[in-house]
């Protein structure tokens, strides 16, 4: 048995959430419903404009690991924080949630710990304004081969693809895990990220990945065919396991050429932050514990449904209890 069932690598970001009306977003020049990268000065302005802040350790893959920790899996996170107040908060909070934070906070330098200002609209849509800070400097030197080799599954965050060092860290992690008999996969993260690195994304998925998870827009962005089914077929031709979330239309999984469609119960979100991250947590829990594809998909939808029922990107309920209620586990 390996030390870790799932190891994630991604941006270590402190999430700062608040509620905001659409008129506020327009006044502040915030584009609704997407993740925007901002510079340090802009980050300070937006942070100062926030009221009733809720602060938590975040980042897409880190949120997924928190969901897996809620379910009792052995997890670790490869990320980079500065040795400042936010960085120390982040590292200790991850450990408290049951995930090993394997890289010590970095002293010195001018880049502070990363943070994302998230404005949640009345319709539950989230508008993310992220200052990457030191997390964007994560590179292959931050990847411990001992950690990657001790993972049954590694999960990579597509946002890190914006810098060459992040790509190198990805490849080192994936190859080390797979050489030791594990599986490596990626969350596409953002269609705009794919637009910037389409060729490299496709090469990574084809040559280094055992699975890929993305929403409808992200899957479409890879090959840009006329319809989703055509895009899914092209991704499935280069990767053994493709998972596509389709919001209220359910989830489509293609595993070794076999398609499985999983319906979802439509709900009005309180806060959509973390829906994709927690879907990944449920799906990876199923994958790590040997469930079939339909069960993996159903676990993912339960986790996503729970997290959009409240503010914040991490689960508040006991997810195992929800799985037992749905008769997915004993």
């Amino acid at each position: 048995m390996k030390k870790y069932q799932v190891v994630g690598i991604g941006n270590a970001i402190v999430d700062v959430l608040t509620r905001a009306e659409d008129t506020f977003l327009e006044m502040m020049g915030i584009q609704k419903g997407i993740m925007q990268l901002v510079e340090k000065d802009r980050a300070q302005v937006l942070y100062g404009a926030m009221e009733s802040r809720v602060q938590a350790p975040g980042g897409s893959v880190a949120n997924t690991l928190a969901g897996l920790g809620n379910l009792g899996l052995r997890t670790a996170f490869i990320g980079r924080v500065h040795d400042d107040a936010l960085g120390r908060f982040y590292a200790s909070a991850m450990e408290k949630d049951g995930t090993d934070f394997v890289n010590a906070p970095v002293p010195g330098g001018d880049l502070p710990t990363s943070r994302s200002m998230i404005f949640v609209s009345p319709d539950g849509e989230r508008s993310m304004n992220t200052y990457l800070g030191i997390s964007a400097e994560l590179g292959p030197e931050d990847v411990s081969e001992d950690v990657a080799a001790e993972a049954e599954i590694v999960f990579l965050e597509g946002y890190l693809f914006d810098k060459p060092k992040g790509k190198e860290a990805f490849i080192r992690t994936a190859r080390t895990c797979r050489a030791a008999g594990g599986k490596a996969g990626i969350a596409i993260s953002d269609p705009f990220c794919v637009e910037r690195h389409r060729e490299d994304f496709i090469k990574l998925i084809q040559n280094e990945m055992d699975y890929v998870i993305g929403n409808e827009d992200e899957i479409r962005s890879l090959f840009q065919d006329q319809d989703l089914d055509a895009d899914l077929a092209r991704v499935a031709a280069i990767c053994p396991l493709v998972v596509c979330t389709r919001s209220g239309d359910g989830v489509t999984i293609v595993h070794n050429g076999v398609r499985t469609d999983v319906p979802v119960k439509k709900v009005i979100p309180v806060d959509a932050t973390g829906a994709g991250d927690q879907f990944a947590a449920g799906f990876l829990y199923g994958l790590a514990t040997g469930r079939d594809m339909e069960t993996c998909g159903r676990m993912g939808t339960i986790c996503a449904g729970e997290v959009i029922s409240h503010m914040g990107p991490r689960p508040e309920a006991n997810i195992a209890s929800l799985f037992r209620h749905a008769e997915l586990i004993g």
Side-chain angles (χ1 to χ4, degrees):
M1 185 175 67
K2 294 196 174 188
K3 184 175 181 180
Y4 301 113
Q5 288 163 288
V6 181
V7 169
I9 175 171
N11 284 311
I13 300 173
V14 177
D15 283 339
V16 188
L17 296 98
T18 192
R19 295 188 179 277
E21 298 292 333
D22 289 351
T23 51
F24 174 86
L25 301 182
E26 292 175 8
M27 181 181 69
M28 296 298 293
I30 297 169
Q31 197 167 346
K32 183 176 178 178
I34 68 167
M35 193 283 289
Q36 289 181 294
L37 298 178
V38 299
E39 298 299 324
K40 191 174 182 179
D41 290 346
R42 171 73 167 163
Q44 290 173 336
V45 168
L46 292 177
Y47 185 83
M50 301 180 89
E51 297 180 359
S52 302
R53 306 180 188 99
V54 176
Q55 184 171 293
S60 179
V61 165
N63 290 335
T64 297
L65 292 173
L68 290 167
N70 180 288
L71 286 160
L73 293 198
R74 305 181 307 278
T75 59
F77 181 60
I78 300 169
R80 191 174 177 90
V81 298
H82 186 63
D83 189 13
D84 54 18
L86 279 180
R88 292 188 291 273
F89 159 77
Y90 191 97
S92 64
M94 290 293 290
E95 295 280 351
K96 184 179 179 181
D97 286 342
T99 293
D100 287 354
F101 191 80
V102 298
N103 301 84
V106 179
D110 297 326
L111 292 174
T113 295
S114 310
R115 71 288 312 266
S116 182
M117 282 65 66
I118 303 173
F119 297 87
V120 182
S121 306
D123 60 2
E125 196 63 73
R126 83 270 195 226
S127 306
M128 304 169 67
N129 299 264
T130 302
Y131 170 59
L132 288 178
I134 198 172
S135 70
E137 296 301 308
L138 187 140
E141 68 277 7
D142 296 303
V143 176
S144 165
E145 291 203 353
D146 290 341
V147 173
E150 279 295 318
E152 295 175 12
I153 296 171
V154 294
F155 188 44
L156 315 176
E157 181 178 313
Y159 286 130
L160 273 180
F161 230 62
D162 271 321
K163 288 201 173 184
K165 289 173 66 175
K167 296 176 188 178
E168 292 170 18
F170 269 18
I171 291 171
R172 178 183 173 92
T173 305
R175 288 181 179 173
T176 302
C177 172
R178 296 179 88 198
K183 295 183 183 296
I186 188 170
I188 298 176
S189 297
D190 191 299
F192 298 107
C193 193
V194 176
E195 292 286 341
R196 294 189 291 270
H197 309 286
R198 182 173 289 108
E199 186 176 330
D200 284 345
F201 255 109
I202 292 171
K203 285 181 179 177
L204 181 82
I205 291 168
Q206 182 169 15
N207 298 321
E208 312 287 352
M209 298 291 100
D210 299 293
Y211 66 92
V212 58
I213 300 175
N215 65 28
E216 191 170 353
D217 290 337
E218 292 159 0
I219 295 293
R220 284 181 185 275
S221 67
L222 284 167
F223 288 106
Q224 301 178 295
D225 282 322
Q226 295 300 314
D227 60 65
L228 180 61
D229 286 344
D231 284 313
L232 276 168
R234 293 189 68 178
V235 182
I238 63 171
C239 187
L241 174 55
V242 183
V243 185
C244 178
T245 59
R246 302 164 56 207
S247 190
D249 293 327
V251 179
T252 297
I253 303 164
V254 184
H255 183 220
N256 293 329
V258 178
R259 176 169 172 156
T260 302
D261 289 296
V262 180
V264 297
K265 181 181 179 182
K266 293 185 180 180
V267 296
I268 298 174
V270 173
D271 171 19
T273 309
D277 304 338
Q278 295 312 320
F279 171 84
F283 186 87
L284 291 177
Y285 175 83
L287 194 65
T289 55
R291 265 63 179 195
D292 60 62
M293 289 297 104
E294 181 180 0
T295 301
C296 290
R298 289 181 63 195
M299 287 176 164
T301 63
I302 287 172
C303 290
E306 188 280 336
V307 81
I308 66 174
S309 70
H310 57 77
M311 283 284 286
R314 299 187 172 191
E316 292 183 353
N318 183 303
I319 302 300
S321 294
L322 298 181
F323 286 175
R324 278 190 288 271
H325 182 72
E327 299 183 342
L328 297 179
I329 60 175

